Amino acid sequence: MKINFKHEKNGENLVIAIAQDYKSLEVLMVAFMNEEALSKTIQTKKAHYFSTSRNKLWLKGESSNNFQHVKEILIDCDMDAILLKVNPDGASCHEGYNSCFFRELDGDKIAKKSYNLDKLDEEDLKIIQARLFNPEDVYK
Amino acid sequence: MKINFKHEKNGENLVIAIAQDYKSLEVLMVAFMNEEALSKTIQTKKAHYFSTSRNKLWLKGESSNNFQHVKEILIDCDMDAILLKVNPDGASCHEGYNSCFFRELDGDKIAKKSYNLDKLDEEDLKIIQARLFNPEDVYK
């Protein structure tokens, strides 16, 4: 029985990792973990991911101090995705929102228009959360 | 402004797609969508994914009749992940559980033992949901 790090990026073997607020049940973000990130998460009870853009281990909160304290670790049927139930110190999104999923796609409007997902207008997306911090104040 | 189908598998460009029960807020599953799957989801309001194992469009429920009726479509900061808030007709997991995340990893036990994520015992994983159907009865 083993965890299936089957998603590959830049030669790194990864699982998908979703973070969900363990109290509000809000989905906060989704990222990837390599084996090191999952091990560190288990050991420290702070969420670690593998940043596929910076190509390195990423302790969530290392820049923003918005750590995610891990309460439960769930694993899916195929053993290739992890769900972390976390207690977040603050906003989880680097854009300053509580969740990275702070915009809603207006499906009815898009369906009527063109189905062209390459050319979405600002008005097709609605911001549904309040901004909790200004990224420029946090990431210097 | 465009959706970033940046995850690549078998030459297919994909976004991550998470399904969450819009009432209970339980995370049900995670999969991928190509542009066609997202377009069909928007048009039909039934969740469509791209099956990376079968390499084709996948209407969730096409075999099991457990469709996911889409209530909201959220998109993340990087525009490369989708969160569907859905009203599911039945269990979302092909193993017969409501959610694919039906097992909890016992982090404390694993941390004490070895950190070896390649060799998990049955006892390191705890099933935390009731089975709603027997897969053999549904997928024939």
Side-chain angles (χ1 to χ4, degrees), chain A residues 1-3 7 9 20 25 42-43 45 73-77 100 103 105 107-108 115 118 120, chain B residues 1-2 7 9 20 25 42-43 45 73-77 100 103 105 107-108 115 117-118 120:
Chain A
M1 208 169 212
K2 53 191 283 188
I3 295 173
H7 304 289
K9 207 136 208 167
Q20 181 180 31
L25 301 184
I42 291 171
Q43 287 166 53
K45 297 191 177 171
I73 304 175
L74 306 183
I75 188 156
D76 81 341
C77 45
C100 292
R103 284 174 300 190
L105 245 173
D108 289 337
Y115 311 124
D118 279 349
L120 295 177
Chain B
M1 208 171 211
K2 53 192 280 188
H7 304 288
K9 208 137 210 167
Q20 181 181 30
L25 300 183
I42 290 171
Q43 288 167 48
K45 296 192 178 171
I73 304 174
L74 307 182
I75 189 155
D76 81 341
C77 45
C100 292
R103 284 173 301 189
L105 245 173
D108 289 337
Y115 311 124
L117 300 173
D118 279 349
L120 295 177

Side-chain angles (χ1 to χ4, degrees), chain B residues 9-12 50-57:
Chain B
K9 208 137 210 167
N10 307 330
E12 203 69 39
F50 182 82
S51 166
T52 56
S53 57
R54 290 176 289 139
N55 228 28
K56 66 187 196 72
L57 185 73

Side-chain angles (χ1 to χ4, degrees), chain A residues 107-115:
Chain A
D108 289 337
K109 204 176 275 173
I110 294 168
K112 260 184 233 146
K113 244 172 43 171
S114 64
Y115 311 124

